Amino acid sequence: MNWIFLIVGGLFEAVFAFSLERMSASTGKTAVMWFLSFLISVSISMFLLFKAISGENAVAVGTGYAVWGGIGAVFTVLAGILFLGESTAFWRIFFLCTLVLSVIGLNLVGKH
């Protein structure tokens, strides 16, 4: 269950990063709505990270934080590509893939 908390928390990290970008590009009521999206998603993300690294069968804090951050980073980049027209240059995708492999590697060599 802790890994599910971690994965969902990482997805909410991507939501809060995307919300920050949208908030900076907005004004008025729209900016306020993106700010509320940021507050809600950052709260959920942090709470789920906390749940994943504490209690019974907790994920090791170093591994948990790396996985949480990696999931957030990957999905933030993908959101930028899909919704904001960001670059899909070879090296950008290459290093995104190395990030995914690094997160998987940390999980494989971590203490279970």
Side-chain angles (χ1 to χ4, degrees):
M1 189 66 170
N2 290 357
W3 281 99
I4 293 170
F5 289 148
L6 196 59
I7 292 166
V8 174
L11 294 173
F12 274 99
E13 183 191 3
V15 173
F16 82 68
F18 187 77
S19 296
L20 280 176
E21 192 284 329
R22 295 285 63 202
M23 184 175 60
S24 70
S26 304
T27 58
K29 258 187 179 179
T30 305
V32 172
M33 295 305 289
W34 283 113
F35 179 69
L36 291 175
S37 171
F38 164 76
L39 285 179
I40 292 166
S41 58
V42 77
S43 298
I44 293 170
S45 181
M46 293 293 175
F47 176 74
L48 291 173
L49 174 62
F50 164 74
K51 291 294 286 180
I53 63 173
S54 62
E56 192 174 324
N57 298 319
V59 176
V61 68
T63 301
Y65 186 76
V67 169
W68 175 81
I71 290 169
V74 167
F75 281 95
T76 300
V77 170
L78 292 176
I81 291 169
L82 293 173
F83 301 114
L84 304 174
E86 292 182 356
S87 170
T88 57
F90 170 79
W91 288 111
R92 192 161 194 243
I93 301 304
F94 173 80
F95 286 116
L96 187 63
C97 290
T98 63
L99 175 61
V100 170
L101 291 173
S102 295
V103 169
I104 291 169
L106 277 173
N107 184 36
L108 292 175
V109 300
K111 183 180 174 186
H112 293 285

